[in-house]
């Protein structure tokens, strides 16, 4: 038995935000709330964690990570990626299929799930590819992917640009009850693009990625999905224009969900000045107006959830001229302190933060977790929202340190990450 005592329990699914205890037995939540552990006898087998001054929340869930295995293990692998997830407070992550070979068949899905068994205990939910080889030509066998354990499909890194293929993909994903996560990029508008198109790209002499390239795909997919009704999800939404379509679709009852990354909520295209390759991401960092719109949409629920797009790259991909650099930054270990900063600035409430990082991703991916209700699986994150630390390569558990926040002071950490009632990560007191 595990007892978490006197923490601030924040569970949006049950509307709870109060100081109390969580009692866990056999991997499930037994009791929760004020005085929940009051009548427990002293027993050496009962492990007690004092959470005084800490937040106790349903385990964080990330719908969008790149763990690079198979094929890119020198950058990250399933073991190191899941360790980074645990240290960041995540109890479950969904991996994107742009591995090498890509996860476009059941054998790769099963391989990834088997590798996760050897890791620290964070739950892995793989996405399979929408098209064979992520080439945008022929659909994968979505039923087989689902049977092997995939929870969704995506060609992330690439967009499914063909309308006819996308229509069939939505139909098949609906049949197989898989989440379809689209990387929204009309590639004819972004050929060789390096960054957001605007005054900064002009100043730096870099080729621009216009926001319309995202907006066109979001609008088109929503139009296609109106009569299909698949579980359509916009990956890493980044533009004000695309948000308008998501908002309107939701108002009209068309199924759509959307995620935003912490980096798109915090950094604008100005961060690229100096040709900082750590700030090269796809979709690119946008304008201040886009950031304001993304923050507002996260707060009002137009954007359902936060996902990191954790994208490890090494010096070979980043210590090169900007145009040659690979897009992406790591995010699993910075997401929580960044989101806590939004809370401190009054942009979202603590409860909305937990909803966006746990309740909503569990609902969207149809996976367990996302609540601290009695009977639920005991996936829990304990957070110290005040703890200050400096981000350095040695503070990271990921194999890579491609993040623009290196050297910066962060506030807030996961002190304990608990999966199935077992503590899989515990931060050593300093
Ligand atoms: O920045 C990104 N990096 N965006 C993507 O879509 C792919 C990802 C990667 O795999 O590195």
């Amino acid at each position: 038995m595990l007892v978490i005592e006197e923490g601030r329990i924040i569970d949006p699914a049950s509307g709870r935000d109060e100081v109390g205890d969580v009692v866990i037995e056999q991997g499930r939540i037994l009791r929760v709330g004020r005085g929940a552990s009051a009548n427990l006898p002293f027993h050496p087998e009962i492990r007690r964690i004092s959470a005084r001054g800490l937040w106790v929340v349903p385990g964080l869930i990330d719908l969008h990570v790149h763990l690079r295995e198979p094929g890119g293990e020198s950058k990250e692998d399933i073991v190191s990626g899941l360790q980074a997830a645990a240290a960041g407070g995540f109890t479950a992550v969904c991996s994107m299929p742009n591995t090498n070979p890509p996860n476009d068949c059941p054998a790769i899905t099963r391989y990834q799930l088997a590798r996760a068994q050897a890791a620290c205990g964070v739950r892995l939910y793989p996405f399979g590819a929408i098209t064979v080889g992520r080439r945008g030509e022929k659909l994968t066998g979505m039923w087989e992917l689902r049977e092997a354990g995939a929870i969704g499909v995506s060609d992330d890194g690439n967009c499914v640009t063909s309308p006819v293929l996308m229509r069939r993909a939505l139909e098949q994903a609906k049949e197989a009850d898989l989440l379809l996560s689209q990387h929204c990029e009309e590639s004819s508008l972004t050929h060789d693009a390096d960054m957001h198109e605007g005054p900064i790209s002009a100043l730096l002499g870099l080729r621009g990625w216009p926001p319309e390239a995202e907006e066109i795909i979001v609008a088109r997919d929503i139009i296609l999905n109106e009569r299909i009704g698949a579980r359509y999800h916009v990956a890493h939404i980044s533009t004000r224009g695309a948000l308008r379509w998501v908002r309107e679709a939701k108002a009209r009852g068309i199924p759509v969900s959307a995620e935003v990354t912490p980096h798109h909520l915090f950094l604008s295209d100005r961060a690229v000045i100096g040709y900082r390759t750590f700030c090269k991401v796809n979709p690119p960092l946008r304008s201040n107006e886009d950031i304001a719109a993304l923050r507002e949409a996260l707060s009002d629920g137009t954007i359902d959830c936060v996902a990191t797009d954790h994208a490890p790259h090494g010096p070979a991909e980043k210590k090169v001229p900007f145009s040659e650099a690979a897009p992406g930054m790591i995010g699993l270990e910075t997401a929580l302190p960044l989101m806590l900063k939004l809370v401190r600035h009054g942009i979202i409430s603590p409860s909305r933060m937990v909803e966006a990082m746990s309740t909503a991703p569990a609902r969207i991916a149809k996976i367990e977790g996302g609540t601290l209700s009695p009977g639920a699986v005991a996936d829990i994150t304990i957070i110290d929202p005040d703890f200050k630390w400096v981000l350095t390569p040695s503070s990271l558990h990921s194999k890579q340190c491609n993040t623009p926040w290196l050297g910066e002071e962060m506030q807030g950490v996961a002190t304990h990450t608990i999966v199935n009632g077992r503590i899989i990560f515990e931060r050593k007191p300093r």
Side-chain angles (χ1 to χ4, degrees), residues 66 68 98 156-157 183 236 281-282 309 311 313 327-328:
H66 297 272
R68 307 295 187 216
N98 63 337
D156 184 56
H183 173 117
H236 41 50
V281 281
N282 187 8
D309 198 2
H313 289 292

Side-chain angles (χ1 to χ4, degrees), residues 31-51:
R31 280 196 298 278
V32 60
R34 204 165 299 177
S37 72
N39 298 325
L40 285 178
F42 178 78
H43 194 285
E45 297 276 285
I46 302 179
R47 163 98 202 251
R48 289 169 192 268
I49 301 173
S50 167

Side-chain angles (χ1 to χ4, degrees), residues 298-376:
L298 178 64
S299 154
D300 72 20
T302 302
I303 293 176
D304 300 81
C305 65
V306 170
T308 66
D309 198 2
H310 177 81
H313 289 292
E317 294 84 27
K318 287 294 192 183
K319 284 204 163 162
V320 293
F322 197 87
S323 294
E324 290 162 31
M329 66 173 79
I330 57 168
L332 282 167
E333 295 171 81
T334 47
L336 180 58
L338 289 170
M339 296 313 294
L340 286 166
K341 195 169 180 175
L342 282 190
V343 172
R344 281 200 305 282
H345 290 180
I347 295 177
I348 52 171
S349 66
S351 163
R352 177 69 191 124
M353 183 195 93
V354 176
E355 189 178 48
M357 296 183 83
S358 178
T359 325
R363 167 180 52 82
I364 292 165
K366 289 199 181 172
I367 56 182
E368 58 181 349
T371 177
L372 297 177
S373 300

Side-chain angles (χ1 to χ4, degrees), residues 196-198 209-212 214-215 237-244 247 260 263-269 284-298 303:
H196 175 64
E197 184 181 275
W209 196 131
E212 297 87 316
E214 177 174 276
E215 194 181 338
I237 198 163
S238 68
T239 62
R240 192 166 44 154
L243 287 170
R244 278 201 302 266
R247 199 171 270 125
V260 64
H263 50 267
H264 287 106
L265 289 166
F266 276 93
L267 300 172
S268 76
D269 55 349
L285 302 174
R286 299 289 185 187
S287 68
N288 284 327
E289 291 73 36
D290 290 306
I291 293 179
L294 291 169
R295 288 177 168 202
E296 188 190 342
L298 178 64
I303 293 176

Side-chain angles (χ1 to χ4, degrees), residues 85 96 115 139 153 162 170 331 359 365 367:
M96 284 295 150
R115 292 284 296 140
L139 294 183
V153 284
S162 154
L170 286 165
T359 325
I367 56 182

